Amino acid sequence: QVQLVESGGGSVQAGGSLRLSCAASGYTWPNYCVGWFRQAPGKQREGVATITSDGITSYRDSVKGRFTISKDNGKDTLYLQMNSLKPEDTATYYCAAHNNRWRPCLYFAAMDSWGKGTVVTISS
């Protein structure tokens, strides 16, 4: 399994941008599926964006056109570029991964490895 450490969270005004990073280490990197999930206070964890080893991306409808997921295999790092941020994007963002191509990707229960999260707060 991989170890995942998120960074890049913070506070920003609506309309602003943030770039989250997830540094990975471990024997199984790069995994088949890596991505970002988020959980707002009082709400369920939800998938935000994922990317497979084949380069296939998936996005939650509410972030399409605003967020971009990418990875740098040479640096063992996953990124989430978040533009045009909205207050409803406020949440703790988690990096996650699995290495089984038979599992779905943008689904929290499919993930094997999780980071501890980084907090994103968007003010209006």
Side-chain angles (χ1 to χ4, degrees), residues 2-120:
V2 299
Q3 293 77 52
L4 306 170
V5 180
E6 304 94 336
S7 63
S11 298
V12 66
Q13 295 184 37
S17 298
L18 284 173
R19 190 191 195 199
L20 305 184
S21 298
C22 173
S25 62
Y27 295 106
T28 59
W29 185 265
N31 276 21
Y32 171 71
C33 173
V34 292
W36 295 93
F37 297 75
R38 67 186 182 188
Q39 188 165 22
K43 295 190 175 183
Q44 304 244 332
R45 189 168 299 189
E46 62 186 24
V48 178
T50 56
I51 185 168
T52 71
S53 59
D54 303 314
I56 304 300
T57 58
S58 297
Y59 294 94
R60 187 174 194 85
D61 285 344
S62 62
V63 309
K64 288 181 179 178
R66 300 189 298 120
F67 292 9
T68 302
I69 188 170
S70 62
K71 59 182 178 180
D72 185 334
N73 293 135
K75 295 182 178 180
D76 292 340
T77 303
L78 180 73
Y79 302 99
L80 184 67
Q81 179 66 46
M82 305 188 295
N83 299 325
S84 301
L85 284 162
K86 303 175 180 179
E88 49 263 45
D89 296 317
T90 295
T92 299
Y93 284 70
Y94 299 89
C95 178
H98 75 70
N99 196 30
N100 189 333
R101 64 171 53 246
W102 299 106
R103 296 179 185 174
C105 202
L106 193 63
Y107 180 51
F108 75 90
M111 315 311 284
D112 292 321
S113 302
W114 291 88
K116 293 183 178 180
T118 185
V119 176
V120 171

